[in-house]
């Protein structure tokens, strides 16, 4: 099984990166092939809304990190998207990446309704927020980022098997044992033998 991790945090030792490390270690222990993409370090040009990809099936912009990530998504069995909350949403770098890959994630029928292209793949969504728990959920902070990722996954056809949210990251800079266990359990939910 191939599991792709999209880490959209700029902090290499932050909570998101710690959770990605915990999950990727568990995935490797189960025998999965793991690929981790650091979204913040990709070079991706903004979408120019030409809509050519909708008819051609490819992006007309010069190759950059988005095409490489789309190849990895097409080749993976499961996806983990991990993103900190920025203004109750996902970071702009992650949104930019998904904007550029839309043609490989969903198509549309003649009436303009979405047709998912990643059907049958499993997904885990992870987010953090400096807003303390439970206000990170009540005030739609980490919960807002999860909502945005769910939208992308739903239209792409991914089956979401787990979501993990952590609030209060300004004070809690390390993962509790309970959260580590939740990360490992989420990977076991996505795992399946070939």
């Amino acid at each position: 099984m191939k599991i792709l991790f999209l880490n959209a945090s700029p902090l290499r030792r932050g909570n998101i990166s710690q959770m990605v490390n915990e999950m990727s270690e568990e995935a490797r222990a189960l025998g999965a092939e793991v690929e981790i993409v650091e979204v913040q370090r990709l070079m991706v040009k903004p979408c120019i809304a030409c809509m050519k990809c909708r008819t051609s099936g490819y992006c007309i912009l010069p190759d950059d990190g988005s095409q490489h990530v789309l190849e990895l998504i097409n080749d993976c069995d499961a996806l983990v998207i991990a993103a900190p909350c920025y203004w109750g949403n996902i970071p702009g770098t992650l949104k930019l990446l998904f904007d550029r890959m839309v043609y490989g994630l969903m198509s549309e029928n003649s009436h303009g309704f979405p047709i998912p292209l990643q059907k049958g793949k499993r997904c885990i969504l992870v987010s953090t927020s400096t807003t303390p728990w439970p206000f990170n959920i009540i005030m739609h902070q980490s919960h807002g980022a999860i909502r945005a990722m769910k939208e992308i996954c739903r239209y792409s056809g991914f089956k979401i098997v787990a979501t993990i949210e952590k609030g209060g990251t300004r004070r809690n800079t390390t993962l509790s044992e309970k959260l580590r266990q939740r990360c490992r359990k989420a990977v076991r939910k996505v795992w399946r033998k070939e």
Side-chain angles (χ1 to χ4, degrees):
M1 181 178 203
K2 293 181 181 178
I3 303 179
L4 175 62
F5 290 80
L6 296 181
N7 179 352
S9 174
L11 305 176
R12 291 181 186 229
R13 292 187 200 119
N15 283 271
I16 287 287
S17 295
Q18 290 176 55
M19 287 190 268
V20 165
N21 290 339
E22 194 72 34
M23 289 187 281
S24 63
E25 285 175 17
E26 181 70 16
R28 286 186 182 104
L30 291 168
E33 187 179 319
V34 169
E35 177 92 28
I36 300 172
V37 173
E38 306 264 344
V39 174
Q40 299 284 347
R41 285 153 188 75
L42 293 173
M43 296 302 290
V44 178
K45 290 183 170 58
C47 175
I48 59 171
C50 68
M51 303 304 281
K52 299 270 190 215
C53 67
R54 298 301 180 105
T55 54
S56 67
Y58 64 90
C59 180
I60 65 162
L61 293 175
D63 282 357
D64 60 21
S66 65
Q67 288 90 348
H68 173 67
V69 172
L70 183 56
E71 287 174 15
L72 294 173
I73 289 174
N74 286 332
D75 196 38
C76 77
D77 300 297
L79 177 65
V80 177
I81 308 172
C85 166
Y86 283 22
W87 290 98
N89 211 317
I90 58 177
T93 51
L94 184 61
K95 174 70 166 67
L96 178 64
L97 177 64
F98 281 115
D99 285 347
R100 285 287 307 285
M101 299 186 305
V102 68
Y103 65 94
L105 301 174
M106 61 165 266
S107 184
E108 53 189 39
N109 67 19
S110 60
H111 301 290
F113 290 103
I115 300 170
L117 299 177
Q118 299 294 328
K119 223 170 182 165
K121 296 183 181 184
R122 299 175 188 188
C123 187
I124 299 169
L125 306 177
V126 179
S127 187
T128 60
S129 173
T130 56
T131 306
W133 185 87
F135 300 102
N136 62 307
I137 294 171
I138 295 168
M139 297 169 67
H140 301 287
Q141 293 303 301
S142 61
H143 207 60
I146 292 288
R147 177 202 47 76
M149 290 185 276
K150 279 183 177 178
E151 191 86 357
I152 292 164
C153 292
R154 185 181 74 197
Y155 284 115
S156 302
F158 288 97
K159 178 183 180 187
I160 300 165
V161 298
T163 61
I164 301 172
E165 296 179 55
K166 180 183 180 193
T169 58
R170 182 171 291 145
R171 290 188 180 185
N172 300 315
T173 58
T174 58
L175 304 183
S176 67
E177 185 54 36
K178 183 177 179 180
L179 189 53
R180 288 179 191 281
Q181 288 175 13
R182 282 189 65 206
C183 290
R184 292 191 292 264
K185 183 179 178 183
V187 170
R188 289 191 297 272
K189 281 174 112 177
V190 87
W191 172 257
R192 66 174 182 244
K193 299 256 182 201
E194 300 298 73

